[in-house]
Amino acid sequence: MKTRSLWIMAVCSLSLSACYKEIDLEQYRPKPTLVLNCVCSPDTVVRASVSRTVFFTDHREDDPTLTDATVSLTVNGVPTGTMRYDEASKLYVSDVVPQAGDRIEVRAVHALGEAIGTDMIPEQIPVERVGLKFRTYEDPDRIIVTPGGPVYGQSYEATYRITFTDPASVRNYYCIRIENNNGIPAETLDYSHDKVFLAQQEIMDGVTTDTRIYGDEGRTFTDDLFDGQTYTMEIVQTAPYYGRHSRPYRIILYSLSEPYYHYLTGILNVDDESFNSDLVDWGFSEPNAYYSNVNGGTGIVGAVQCSVYTVDLESVMPAD
């Protein structure tokens, strides 16, 4: 019996070893190409980063930034000269502050090749007003231990009603973000109260029991449902409530160029907590490739304007 058991173990071991095959990934290593990234805004001079692609098995111990590229800027078809490399920021910097309607072309030339990207600065769409609603409630998910025994803590629900006017006769692209004065995203935002985000939610997300739409880092959207209209967007925030105190937030409405919209949408879709991003994490779905409008390499040359509106939730909190 013992001999038979050993024979079975030997056969199983051979079967298992047959399921594995050593693969030399180095044979799939592509030649490095240029990565050109530049996001233009009237808030600052045009700056760009130039680096090389990194193979996924590399430990990225070496900085992929390229300091010896020749980077040139063209605005509305007129060359403005070569951008200088700034060692502190590791960026190529120009002296040009672009304006709405300017067409920007950034060209990087290196021994690895040539990469070119173009985009146009969009018009700024201002936030006209922000209405606030606020309520507190006993939260069964927050249990506080007291000398008299455990009690439920309180949480709050704040509703932001953000109003802006979309220009007519042109397709517009946006991103909305709520953050505190330190630039930290507002916690636990739910976008499912607004038809814009409900419309863009993929059918696959409907298989989950959680109907909320997350996105603390922000969410992108278009004007497909309100082209040329004044629109009020509704976003709900929940967080623990510790009594009345100052809680300022910045509501930022980004007006995006079309290329930057596609690129940013891909970034935020990977970062959010949707069912589809869970499928990617679990290995059941392929991750989406990031959008690129760079010819001869990869990356993004995008454009953005932003409008900032500040509110303080203390103004609608109940008196202690």
Side-chain angles (χ1 to χ4, degrees), residues 248-273:
Y249 283 101
R250 293 191 292 248
I251 292 86
I252 308 175
L253 179 64
Y254 296 94
S255 303
L256 309 175
S257 65
E258 183 177 359
Y260 195 44
Y261 163 80
H262 292 303
Y263 176 81
L264 194 58
T265 298
I267 296 289
L268 295 177
N269 281 351
V270 170
D271 289 338
D272 72 16
E273 300 178 51

Side-chain angles (χ1 to χ4, degrees), residues 192-267:
S192 66
H193 299 262
D194 194 276
K195 64 181 182 180
V196 166
F197 302 108
L198 287 172
Q200 71 179 202
Q201 192 77 342
E202 294 184 8
I203 296 175
M204 185 67 74
D205 286 332
V207 304
T208 65
T209 57
D210 191 348
T211 59
R212 289 174 291 184
I213 301 174
Y214 297 101
D216 292 353
E217 295 291 343
R219 287 198 76 94
T220 56
F221 60 99
T222 70
D223 63 352
D224 288 353
L225 297 182
F226 54 84
D227 181 34
Q229 302 175 21
T230 296
Y231 187 73
T232 298
M233 173 170 289
E234 189 167 298
I235 302 172
V236 174
Q237 174 193 11
T238 56
Y241 182 66
Y242 300 112
R244 184 173 183 177
H245 64 279
S246 179
R247 191 180 281 259
Y249 283 101
R250 293 191 292 248
I251 292 86
I252 308 175
L253 179 64
Y254 296 94
S255 303
L256 309 175
S257 65
E258 183 177 359
Y260 195 44
Y261 163 80
H262 292 303
Y263 176 81
L264 194 58
T265 298
I267 296 289

Side-chain angles (χ1 to χ4, degrees), residues 48-300:
S49 70
V50 180
S51 59
R52 56 175 171 80
T53 53
V54 178
F55 195 50
F56 75 98
T57 60
D58 292 342
H59 297 293
R60 302 191 182 188
E61 295 176 355
D62 296 330
D63 187 352
T65 301
L66 300 175
T67 62
D68 56 344
T70 300
V71 183
S72 57
L73 173 66
T74 300
V75 180
N76 297 324
V78 180
T80 65
T82 301
M83 300 169 67
R84 65 186 181 278
Y85 181 73
D86 177 63
E87 188 68 40
S89 64
K90 296 186 177 181
L91 296 174
Y92 290 85
V93 183
S94 74
D95 296 319
V96 175
V97 178
Q99 302 301 314
D102 284 349
R103 178 165 290 279
I104 306 297
E105 178 188 276
V106 181
R107 179 190 303 259
V109 179
H110 188 265
L112 294 177
E114 180 181 74
I116 305 173
T118 63
D119 204 358
M120 180 178 290
I121 308 296
E123 297 287 339
Q124 182 194 57
I125 311 301
V127 175
E128 298 171 10
R129 61 183 178 275
V130 176
L132 295 174
K133 292 194 300 183
F134 190 93
R135 73 177 183 91
T136 60
Y137 60 95
E138 287 191 352
D139 190 346
D141 293 329
R142 296 188 61 240
I143 299 178
I144 302 173
V145 178
T146 69
V151 297
Y152 289 140
Q154 280 194 318
S155 291
Y156 73 79
E157 180 183 274
T159 301
Y160 299 84
R161 292 178 54 81
I162 305 160
T163 301
F164 57 96
T165 299
D166 178 75
S169 304
V170 61
R171 194 169 193 223
N172 292 287
Y173 304 87
Y174 299 98
C175 179
I176 190 72
R177 176 183 168 92
I178 302 176
E179 64 181 30
N180 67 19
N181 283 345
N182 295 319
I184 299 174
E187 61 271 49
T188 321
L189 295 176
D190 180 12
Y191 297 79
S192 66
H193 299 262
D194 194 276
K195 64 181 182 180
V196 166
F197 302 108
L198 287 172
Q200 71 179 202
Q201 192 77 342
E202 294 184 8
I203 296 175
M204 185 67 74
D205 286 332
V207 304
T208 65
T209 57
D210 191 348
T211 59
R212 289 174 291 184
I213 301 174
Y214 297 101
D216 292 353
E217 295 291 343
R219 287 198 76 94
T220 56
F221 60 99
T222 70
D223 63 352
D224 288 353
L225 297 182
F226 54 84
D227 181 34
Q229 302 175 21
T230 296
Y231 187 73
T232 298
M233 173 170 289
E234 189 167 298
I235 302 172
V236 174
Q237 174 193 11
T238 56
Y241 182 66
Y242 300 112
R244 184 173 183 177
H245 64 279
S246 179
R247 191 180 281 259
Y249 283 101
R250 293 191 292 248
I251 292 86
I252 308 175
L253 179 64
Y254 296 94
S255 303
L256 309 175
S257 65
E258 183 177 359
Y260 195 44
Y261 163 80
H262 292 303
Y263 176 81
L264 194 58
T265 298
I267 296 289
L268 295 177
N269 281 351
V270 170
D271 289 338
D272 72 16
E273 300 178 51
S274 70
F275 180 74
N276 284 331
S277 63
D278 286 339
L279 288 180
V280 173
D281 293 339
W282 300 334
F284 295 126
S285 178
E286 290 292 327
N288 294 326
Y290 292 146
Y291 176 88
S292 175
N293 66 343
V294 173
N295 295 319
T298 189
I300 186 69

